[in-house]
Each structure stands twice: as structure tokens, then as C-alpha cells.
mmCIF file of all heavy atoms in Angstrom:
data_model
loop_
_atom_site.group_PDB
_atom_site.id
_atom_site.type_symbol
_atom_site.label_atom_id
_atom_site.label_comp_id
_atom_site.label_asym_id
_atom_site.label_seq_id
_atom_site.Cartn_x
_atom_site.Cartn_y
_atom_site.Cartn_z
ATOM 1 N N ALA A 1 239.209 239.651 95.672
ATOM 2 C CA ALA A 1 239.790 238.849 96.760
ATOM 3 C C ALA A 1 239.753 237.368 96.423
ATOM 4 O O ALA A 1 240.695 236.615 96.716
ATOM 5 C CB ALA A 1 239.047 239.125 98.066
ATOM 6 N N ALA A 2 238.665 236.921 95.788
ATOM 7 C CA ALA A 2 238.566 235.511 95.416
ATOM 8 C C ALA A 2 239.625 235.152 94.374
ATOM 9 O O ALA A 2 240.261 234.084 94.444
ATOM 10 C CB ALA A 2 237.166 235.215 94.882
ATOM 11 N N MET A 3 239.837 236.039 93.395
ATOM 12 C CA MET A 3 240.850 235.766 92.369
ATOM 13 C C MET A 3 242.256 235.750 92.975
ATOM 14 O O MET A 3 243.085 234.900 92.628
ATOM 15 C CB MET A 3 240.750 236.810 91.252
ATOM 16 C CG MET A 3 239.519 236.656 90.381
ATOM 17 S SD MET A 3 239.551 237.708 88.909
ATOM 18 C CE MET A 3 239.484 239.324 89.663
ATOM 19 N N VAL A 4 242.533 236.701 93.889
ATOM 20 C CA VAL A 4 243.846 236.732 94.540
ATOM 21 C C VAL A 4 244.062 235.473 95.381
ATOM 22 O O VAL A 4 245.141 234.854 95.357
ATOM 23 C CB VAL A 4 243.985 237.998 95.400
ATOM 24 C CG1 VAL A 4 245.233 237.919 96.285
ATOM 25 C CG2 VAL A 4 244.049 239.233 94.517
ATOM 26 N N ALA A 5 243.013 235.072 96.124
ATOM 27 C CA ALA A 5 243.140 233.867 96.954
ATOM 28 C C ALA A 5 243.373 232.634 96.091
ATOM 29 O O ALA A 5 244.187 231.762 96.425
ATOM 30 C CB ALA A 5 241.880 233.697 97.802
ATOM 31 N N TRP A 6 242.656 232.543 94.969
ATOM 32 C CA TRP A 6 242.837 231.404 94.072
ATOM 33 C C TRP A 6 244.252 231.386 93.495
ATOM 34 O O TRP A 6 244.892 230.327 93.425
ATOM 35 C CB TRP A 6 241.801 231.457 92.962
ATOM 36 C CG TRP A 6 241.933 230.338 91.964
ATOM 37 C CD1 TRP A 6 242.289 230.439 90.662
ATOM 38 C CD2 TRP A 6 241.716 228.947 92.198
ATOM 39 N NE1 TRP A 6 242.322 229.215 90.051
ATOM 40 C CE2 TRP A 6 241.969 228.261 90.984
ATOM 41 C CE3 TRP A 6 241.332 228.209 93.316
ATOM 42 C CZ2 TRP A 6 241.837 226.895 90.852
ATOM 43 C CZ3 TRP A 6 241.214 226.829 93.183
ATOM 44 C CH2 TRP A 6 241.467 226.187 91.981
ATOM 45 N N GLY A 7 244.738 232.540 93.082
ATOM 46 C CA GLY A 7 246.095 232.617 92.547
ATOM 47 C C GLY A 7 247.152 232.254 93.582
ATOM 48 O O GLY A 7 248.112 231.539 93.277
ATOM 49 N N MET A 8 246.968 232.715 94.831
ATOM 50 C CA MET A 8 247.940 232.386 95.874
ATOM 51 C C MET A 8 247.908 230.905 96.214
ATOM 52 O O MET A 8 248.948 230.306 96.518
ATOM 53 C CB MET A 8 247.667 233.236 97.116
ATOM 54 C CG MET A 8 247.900 234.727 96.900
ATOM 55 S SD MET A 8 247.790 235.678 98.418
ATOM 56 C CE MET A 8 249.241 235.088 99.289
ATOM 57 N N TYR A 9 246.715 230.305 96.155
ATOM 58 C CA TYR A 9 246.629 228.861 96.393
ATOM 59 C C TYR A 9 247.388 228.089 95.317
ATOM 60 O O TYR A 9 248.140 227.155 95.613
ATOM 61 C CB TYR A 9 245.165 228.438 96.427
ATOM 62 C CG TYR A 9 244.970 226.941 96.411
ATOM 63 C CD1 TYR A 9 245.224 226.179 97.547
ATOM 64 C CD2 TYR A 9 244.548 226.291 95.255
ATOM 65 C CE1 TYR A 9 245.058 224.804 97.535
ATOM 66 C CE2 TYR A 9 244.385 224.914 95.230
ATOM 67 C CZ TYR A 9 244.638 224.172 96.375
ATOM 68 O OH TYR A 9 244.486 222.808 96.359
ATOM 69 N N ILE A 10 247.178 228.490 94.057
ATOM 70 C CA ILE A 10 247.904 227.836 92.962
ATOM 71 C C ILE A 10 249.414 228.013 93.148
ATOM 72 O O ILE A 10 250.202 227.070 92.962
ATOM 73 C CB ILE A 10 247.441 228.405 91.609
ATOM 74 C CG1 ILE A 10 245.977 228.055 91.350
ATOM 75 C CG2 ILE A 10 248.319 227.876 90.478
ATOM 76 C CD1 ILE A 10 245.408 228.686 90.095
ATOM 77 N N GLY A 11 249.830 229.223 93.516
ATOM 78 C CA GLY A 11 251.258 229.478 93.726
ATOM 79 C C GLY A 11 251.840 228.647 94.850
ATOM 80 O O GLY A 11 252.965 228.137 94.745
ATOM 81 N N SER A 12 251.076 228.497 95.946
ATOM 82 C CA SER A 12 251.580 227.686 97.065
ATOM 83 C C SER A 12 251.714 226.220 96.668
ATOM 84 O O SER A 12 252.656 225.536 97.072
ATOM 85 C CB SER A 12 250.648 227.832 98.271
ATOM 86 O OG SER A 12 249.363 227.300 97.984
ATOM 87 N N ARG A 13 250.765 225.730 95.866
ATOM 88 C CA ARG A 13 250.865 224.350 95.390
ATOM 89 C C ARG A 13 252.083 224.171 94.493
ATOM 90 O O ARG A 13 252.825 223.188 94.625
ATOM 91 C CB ARG A 13 249.601 224.005 94.595
ATOM 92 C CG ARG A 13 248.349 223.901 95.435
ATOM 93 C CD ARG A 13 248.099 222.518 95.934
ATOM 94 N NE ARG A 13 248.089 221.532 94.866
ATOM 95 C CZ ARG A 13 248.023 220.219 95.091
ATOM 96 N NH1 ARG A 13 248.016 219.767 96.320
ATOM 97 N NH2 ARG A 13 248.003 219.380 94.083
ATOM 98 N N ARG A 14 252.288 225.119 93.602
ATOM 99 C CA ARG A 14 253.452 225.027 92.723
ATOM 100 C C ARG A 14 254.750 225.087 93.523
ATOM 101 O O ARG A 14 255.701 224.348 93.236
ATOM 102 C CB ARG A 14 253.414 226.164 91.707
ATOM 103 C CG ARG A 14 252.317 226.035 90.665
ATOM 104 C CD ARG A 14 252.267 227.264 89.786
ATOM 105 N NE ARG A 14 251.258 227.145 88.735
ATOM 106 C CZ ARG A 14 250.951 228.128 87.891
ATOM 107 N NH1 ARG A 14 251.572 229.296 87.987
ATOM 108 N NH2 ARG A 14 250.028 227.956 86.974
ATOM 109 N N GLU A 15 254.784 225.958 94.512
ATOM 110 C CA GLU A 15 255.999 226.072 95.321
ATOM 111 C C GLU A 15 256.257 224.796 96.105
ATOM 112 O O GLU A 15 257.408 224.352 96.238
ATOM 113 C CB GLU A 15 255.875 227.251 96.278
ATOM 114 C CG GLU A 15 257.109 227.466 97.137
ATOM 115 C CD GLU A 15 256.943 228.609 98.102
ATOM 116 O OE1 GLU A 15 255.869 229.234 98.099
ATOM 117 O OE2 GLU A 15 257.892 228.875 98.855
ATOM 118 N N LEU A 16 255.189 224.192 96.643
ATOM 119 C CA LEU A 16 255.344 222.942 97.381
ATOM 120 C C LEU A 16 255.905 221.849 96.482
ATOM 121 O O LEU A 16 256.836 221.121 96.860
ATOM 122 C CB LEU A 16 253.990 222.509 97.950
ATOM 123 C CG LEU A 16 253.964 221.162 98.675
ATOM 124 C CD1 LEU A 16 254.896 221.178 99.882
ATOM 125 C CD2 LEU A 16 252.540 220.801 99.091
ATOM 126 N N ILE A 17 255.359 221.729 95.280
ATOM 127 C CA ILE A 17 255.842 220.713 94.349
ATOM 128 C C ILE A 17 257.298 220.977 93.968
ATOM 129 O O ILE A 17 258.120 220.057 93.910
ATOM 130 C CB ILE A 17 254.941 220.683 93.096
ATOM 131 C CG1 ILE A 17 253.543 220.200 93.472
ATOM 132 C CG2 ILE A 17 255.542 219.783 92.022
ATOM 133 C CD1 ILE A 17 252.542 220.280 92.342
ATOM 134 N N ALA A 18 257.630 222.264 93.707
ATOM 135 C CA ALA A 18 259.010 222.597 93.349
ATOM 136 C C ALA A 18 259.968 222.313 94.498
ATOM 137 O O ALA A 18 261.081 221.817 94.300
ATOM 138 C CB ALA A 18 259.104 224.064 92.938
ATOM 139 N N THR A 19 259.529 222.603 95.742
ATOM 140 C CA THR A 19 260.380 222.346 96.910
ATOM 141 C C THR A 19 260.604 220.852 97.108
ATOM 142 O O THR A 19 261.728 220.408 97.378
ATOM 143 C CB THR A 19 259.736 222.955 98.170
ATOM 144 O OG1 THR A 19 259.549 224.355 97.979
ATOM 145 C CG2 THR A 19 260.623 222.732 99.383
ATOM 146 N N LEU A 20 259.523 220.062 96.953
ATOM 147 C CA LEU A 20 259.671 218.616 97.090
ATOM 148 C C LEU A 20 260.578 218.044 96.002
ATOM 149 O O LEU A 20 261.385 217.151 96.272
ATOM 150 C CB LEU A 20 258.289 217.955 97.025
ATOM 151 C CG LEU A 20 257.337 218.250 98.196
ATOM 152 C CD1 LEU A 20 255.993 217.590 97.962
ATOM 153 C CD2 LEU A 20 257.942 217.791 99.516
ATOM 154 N N ARG A 21 260.436 218.584 94.786
ATOM 155 C CA ARG A 21 261.302 218.116 93.707
ATOM 156 C C ARG A 21 262.765 218.471 93.997
ATOM 157 O O ARG A 21 263.673 217.664 93.769
ATOM 158 C CB ARG A 21 260.872 218.740 92.383
ATOM 159 C CG ARG A 21 261.693 218.254 91.190
ATOM 160 C CD ARG A 21 261.265 218.913 89.906
ATOM 161 N NE ARG A 21 259.895 218.571 89.541
ATOM 162 C CZ ARG A 21 258.874 219.414 89.578
ATOM 163 N NH1 ARG A 21 259.077 220.679 89.958
ATOM 164 N NH2 ARG A 21 257.676 219.028 89.229
ATOM 165 N N LEU A 22 262.992 219.698 94.501
ATOM 166 C CA LEU A 22 264.354 220.115 94.829
ATOM 167 C C LEU A 22 264.943 219.253 95.936
ATOM 168 O O LEU A 22 266.110 218.854 95.881
ATOM 169 C CB LEU A 22 264.347 221.587 95.244
ATOM 170 C CG LEU A 22 265.697 222.209 95.623
ATOM 171 C CD1 LEU A 22 266.652 222.160 94.437
ATOM 172 C CD2 LEU A 22 265.513 223.644 96.095
ATOM 173 N N ARG A 23 264.123 218.950 96.941
ATOM 174 C CA ARG A 23 264.612 218.090 98.024
ATOM 175 C C ARG A 23 264.926 216.687 97.513
ATOM 176 O O ARG A 23 265.913 216.073 97.929
ATOM 177 C CB ARG A 23 263.567 218.021 99.134
ATOM 178 C CG ARG A 23 263.427 219.319 99.928
ATOM 179 C CD ARG A 23 262.360 219.180 101.002
ATOM 180 N NE ARG A 23 262.256 220.390 101.813
ATOM 181 C CZ ARG A 23 261.362 220.572 102.768
ATOM 182 N NH1 ARG A 23 260.488 219.608 103.043
ATOM 183 N NH2 ARG A 23 261.333 221.693 103.451
ATOM 184 N N ALA A 24 264.070 216.179 96.639
ATOM 185 C CA ALA A 24 264.322 214.844 96.085
ATOM 186 C C ALA A 24 265.605 214.826 95.270
ATOM 187 O O ALA A 24 266.408 213.888 95.369
ATOM 188 C CB ALA A 24 263.133 214.404 95.222
ATOM 189 N N GLU A 25 265.821 215.874 94.457
ATOM 190 C CA GLU A 25 267.045 215.937 93.662
ATOM 191 C C GLU A 25 268.267 216.068 94.566
ATOM 192 O O GLU A 25 269.317 215.459 94.306
ATOM 193 C CB GLU A 25 266.964 217.112 92.700
ATOM 194 C CG GLU A 25 265.932 216.934 91.590
ATOM 195 C CD GLU A 25 265.769 218.173 90.741
ATOM 196 O OE1 GLU A 25 266.368 219.217 91.104
ATOM 197 O OE2 GLU A 25 265.049 218.113 89.725
ATOM 198 N N THR A 26 268.137 216.881 95.635
ATOM 199 C CA THR A 26 269.260 217.033 96.567
ATOM 200 C C THR A 26 269.563 215.720 97.282
ATOM 201 O O THR A 26 270.729 215.327 97.421
ATOM 202 C CB THR A 26 268.932 218.118 97.598
ATOM 203 O OG1 THR A 26 268.661 219.357 96.921
ATOM 204 C CG2 THR A 26 270.100 218.333 98.552
ATOM 205 N N ALA A 27 268.497 215.040 97.730
ATOM 206 C CA ALA A 27 268.702 213.754 98.412
ATOM 207 C C ALA A 27 269.320 212.731 97.472
ATOM 208 O O ALA A 27 270.193 211.951 97.866
ATOM 209 C CB ALA A 27 267.363 213.236 98.953
ATOM 210 N N GLU A 28 268.884 212.742 96.213
ATOM 211 C CA GLU A 28 269.443 211.803 95.244
ATOM 212 C C GLU A 28 270.918 212.099 94.987
ATOM 213 O O GLU A 28 271.738 211.179 94.883
ATOM 214 C CB GLU A 28 268.658 211.892 93.936
ATOM 215 C CG GLU A 28 269.096 210.893 92.883
ATOM 216 C CD GLU A 28 268.256 210.978 91.620
ATOM 217 O OE1 GLU A 28 267.276 211.747 91.620
ATOM 218 O OE2 GLU A 28 268.580 210.270 90.652
ATOM 219 N N ALA A 29 271.246 213.415 94.890
ATOM 220 C CA ALA A 29 272.648 213.778 94.680
ATOM 221 C C ALA A 29 273.501 213.387 95.880
ATOM 222 O O ALA A 29 274.617 212.886 95.727
ATOM 223 C CB ALA A 29 272.759 215.277 94.413
ATOM 224 N N GLU A 30 272.964 213.616 97.100
ATOM 225 C CA GLU A 30 273.713 213.242 98.306
ATOM 226 C C GLU A 30 273.884 211.727 98.385
ATOM 227 O O GLU A 30 274.948 211.241 98.784
ATOM 228 C CB GLU A 30 272.990 213.770 99.540
ATOM 229 C CG GLU A 30 273.016 215.292 99.668
ATOM 230 C CD GLU A 30 272.225 215.780 100.858
ATOM 231 O OE1 GLU A 30 271.510 214.950 101.473
ATOM 232 O OE2 GLU A 30 272.316 216.978 101.170
ATOM 233 N N GLN A 31 272.825 210.985 98.027
ATOM 234 C CA GLN A 31 272.935 209.532 98.046
ATOM 235 C C GLN A 31 273.970 209.054 97.041
ATOM 236 O O GLN A 31 274.769 208.142 97.330
ATOM 237 C CB GLN A 31 271.570 208.912 97.736
ATOM 238 C CG GLN A 31 271.574 207.400 97.627
ATOM 239 C CD GLN A 31 271.894 206.711 98.943
ATOM 240 O OE1 GLN A 31 271.843 207.343 99.992
ATOM 241 N NE2 GLN A 31 272.244 205.433 98.889
ATOM 242 N N SER A 32 273.965 209.668 95.851
ATOM 243 C CA SER A 32 274.959 209.300 94.845
ATOM 244 C C SER A 32 276.370 209.598 95.335
ATOM 245 O O SER A 32 277.296 208.809 95.107
ATOM 246 C CB SER A 32 274.676 210.057 93.541
ATOM 247 O OG SER A 32 275.656 209.774 92.576
ATOM 248 N N LEU A 33 276.539 210.744 96.028
ATOM 249 C CA LEU A 33 277.856 211.086 96.560
ATOM 250 C C LEU A 33 278.290 210.096 97.628
ATOM 251 O O LEU A 33 279.450 209.671 97.660
ATOM 252 C CB LEU A 33 277.824 212.509 97.131
ATOM 253 C CG LEU A 33 279.123 213.022 97.757
ATOM 254 C CD1 LEU A 33 280.242 213.055 96.721
ATOM 255 C CD2 LEU A 33 278.917 214.411 98.350
ATOM 256 N N ARG A 34 277.343 209.718 98.508
ATOM 257 C CA ARG A 34 277.695 208.737 99.546
ATOM 258 C C ARG A 34 278.076 207.390 98.934
ATOM 259 O O ARG A 34 279.004 206.728 99.404
ATOM 260 C CB ARG A 34 276.513 208.573 100.515
ATOM 261 C CG ARG A 34 276.328 209.729 101.468
ATOM 262 C CD ARG A 34 275.385 209.344 102.587
ATOM 263 N NE ARG A 34 274.039 209.137 102.100
ATOM 264 C CZ ARG A 34 273.102 210.069 102.053
ATOM 265 N NH1 ARG A 34 273.382 211.298 102.447
ATOM 266 N NH2 ARG A 34 271.886 209.798 101.608
ATOM 267 N N VAL A 35 277.350 206.994 97.894
ATOM 268 C CA VAL A 35 277.680 205.733 97.227
ATOM 269 C C VAL A 35 279.066 205.804 96.603
ATOM 270 O O VAL A 35 279.872 204.870 96.709
ATOM 271 C CB VAL A 35 276.611 205.407 96.162
ATOM 272 C CG1 VAL A 35 277.068 204.233 95.297
ATOM 273 C CG2 VAL A 35 275.290 205.073 96.830
ATOM 274 N N SER A 36 279.361 206.949 95.952
ATOM 275 C CA SER A 36 280.685 207.109 95.337
ATOM 276 C C SER A 36 281.789 207.080 96.388
ATOM 277 O O SER A 36 282.839 206.464 96.180
ATOM 278 C CB SER A 36 280.730 208.426 94.554
ATOM 279 O OG SER A 36 279.780 208.429 93.504
ATOM 280 N N GLN A 37 281.544 207.766 97.509
ATOM 281 C CA GLN A 37 282.545 207.767 98.574
ATOM 282 C C GLN A 37 282.732 206.366 99.157
ATOM 283 O O GLN A 37 283.868 205.962 99.456
ATOM 284 C CB GLN A 37 282.125 208.753 99.665
ATOM 285 C CG GLN A 37 282.202 210.215 99.240
ATOM 286 C CD GLN A 37 281.670 211.150 100.300
ATOM 287 O OE1 GLN A 37 280.943 210.736 101.204
ATOM 288 N NE2 GLN A 37 282.029 212.412 100.204
ATOM 289 N N ALA A 38 281.615 205.645 99.318
ATOM 290 C CA ALA A 38 281.730 204.277 99.846
ATOM 291 C C ALA A 38 282.504 203.387 98.885
ATOM 292 O O ALA A 38 283.340 202.583 99.301
ATOM 293 C CB ALA A 38 280.334 203.705 100.106
ATOM 294 N N ARG A 39 282.231 203.554 97.589
ATOM 295 C CA ARG A 39 282.967 202.752 96.600
ATOM 296 C C ARG A 39 284.445 203.095 96.608
ATOM 297 O O ARG A 39 285.298 202.198 96.550
ATOM 298 C CB ARG A 39 282.382 202.998 95.214
ATOM 299 C CG ARG A 39 281.022 202.365 94.987
ATOM 300 C CD ARG A 39 280.468 202.740 93.632
ATOM 301 N NE ARG A 39 279.200 202.076 93.369
ATOM 302 C CZ ARG A 39 278.427 202.329 92.326
ATOM 303 N NH1 ARG A 39 278.815 203.229 91.429
ATOM 304 N NH2 ARG A 39 277.283 201.687 92.163
ATOM 305 N N GLU A 40 284.745 204.398 96.685
ATOM 306 C CA GLU A 40 286.145 204.812 96.686
ATOM 307 C C GLU A 40 286.861 204.290 97.929
ATOM 308 O O GLU A 40 287.996 203.815 97.860
ATOM 309 C CB GLU A 40 286.226 206.335 96.628
ATOM 310 C CG GLU A 40 287.643 206.893 96.572
ATOM 311 C CD GLU A 40 288.380 206.511 95.307
ATOM 312 O OE1 GLU A 40 287.698 206.166 94.301
ATOM 313 O OE2 GLU A 40 289.621 206.532 95.318
ATOM 314 N N THR A 41 286.176 204.376 99.080
ATOM 315 C CA THR A 41 286.781 203.863 100.315
ATOM 316 C C THR A 41 287.043 202.370 100.220
ATOM 317 O O THR A 41 288.102 201.877 100.629
ATOM 318 C CB THR A 41 285.852 204.167 101.501
ATOM 319 O OG1 THR A 41 285.667 205.585 101.603
ATOM 320 C CG2 THR A 41 286.457 203.639 102.800
ATOM 321 N N GLU A 42 286.051 201.651 99.666
ATOM 322 C CA GLU A 42 286.217 200.204 99.560
ATOM 323 C C GLU A 42 287.326 199.850 98.577
ATOM 324 O O GLU A 42 288.107 198.915 98.810
ATOM 325 C CB GLU A 42 284.895 199.566 99.125
ATOM 326 C CG GLU A 42 284.915 198.048 99.086
ATOM 327 C CD GLU A 42 285.233 197.425 100.434
ATOM 328 O OE1 GLU A 42 285.051 198.107 101.468
ATOM 329 O OE2 GLU A 42 285.684 196.264 100.451
ATOM 330 N N ARG A 43 287.433 200.573 97.487
ATOM 331 C CA ARG A 43 288.489 200.279 96.518
ATOM 332 C C ARG A 43 289.865 200.558 97.113
ATOM 333 O O ARG A 43 290.826 199.842 96.836
ATOM 334 C CB ARG A 43 288.258 201.092 95.241
ATOM 335 C CG ARG A 43 287.089 200.588 94.426
ATOM 336 C CD ARG A 43 286.865 201.402 93.181
ATOM 337 N NE ARG A 43 285.704 200.916 92.448
ATOM 338 C CZ ARG A 43 285.712 199.906 91.593
ATOM 339 N NH1 ARG A 43 286.849 199.275 91.344
ATOM 340 N NH2 ARG A 43 284.614 199.516 90.982
ATOM 341 N N ARG A 44 289.958 201.617 97.884
ATOM 342 C CA ARG A 44 291.242 201.888 98.544
ATOM 343 C C ARG A 44 291.581 200.788 99.534
ATOM 344 O O ARG A 44 292.742 200.387 99.664
ATOM 345 C CB ARG A 44 291.176 203.236 99.250
ATOM 346 C CG ARG A 44 291.157 204.430 98.291
ATOM 347 C CD ARG A 44 291.113 205.739 99.050
ATOM 348 N NE ARG A 44 291.118 206.878 98.143
ATOM 349 C CZ ARG A 44 291.069 208.146 98.530
ATOM 350 N NH1 ARG A 44 291.005 208.424 99.823
ATOM 351 N NH2 ARG A 44 291.069 209.114 97.650
ATOM 352 N N ARG A 45 290.555 200.313 100.250
ATOM 353 C CA ARG A 45 290.814 199.224 101.196
ATOM 354 C C ARG A 45 291.286 197.973 100.455
ATOM 355 O O ARG A 45 292.221 197.298 100.893
ATOM 356 C CB ARG A 45 289.536 198.917 101.979
ATOM 357 C CG ARG A 45 289.762 197.966 103.148
ATOM 358 C CD ARG A 45 288.455 197.510 103.715
ATOM 359 N NE ARG A 45 287.783 196.612 102.798
ATOM 360 C CZ ARG A 45 288.074 195.312 102.695
ATOM 361 N NH1 ARG A 45 289.037 194.792 103.425
ATOM 362 N NH2 ARG A 45 287.423 194.546 101.843
#
């Protein structure tokens, strides 16, 4: 039980880090898209 609990704790930490990294990458991609759209809108104007 101790080994299983330790392994699940490690897995939860890894999953949390992977989720935060995925969210950061998604937010960065969305920010880049918004910047591109703003630039395109401004250039058209």
C-alpha cells in the first residue's frame, strides 16, 4: 500500500505539471493568435 500510494503521488505530481505545461502552451498559442488577429485587423484598417 505504501509503494502504491507513493507511485500515485508521483503520478499526480507529473500529471499536474503536464497539465500546467499544456495550459501554458495553449494560453501562449491563443495569445499569439490574438496578437496576429489584432495585427491583421490593424493592417486592414
Side-chain angles (χ1 to χ4, degrees):
M3 289 190 295
V4 169
W6 179 247
M8 294 188 68
Y9 169 75
I10 295 175
S12 65
R13 291 269 306 173
R14 290 175 178 175
E15 181 182 0
L16 176 61
I17 294 174
T19 302
L20 293 177
R21 182 181 296 110
L22 180 61
R23 289 179 177 176
E25 291 174 353
T26 302
E28 184 178 355
E30 291 177 350
Q31 176 66 15
S32 177
L33 179 61
R34 286 194 293 268
V35 170
S36 298
Q37 291 175 342
R39 287 176 177 173
E40 182 65 21
T41 300
E42 185 60 21
R43 288 179 182 276
R44 289 181 179 179
R45 190 190 70 81

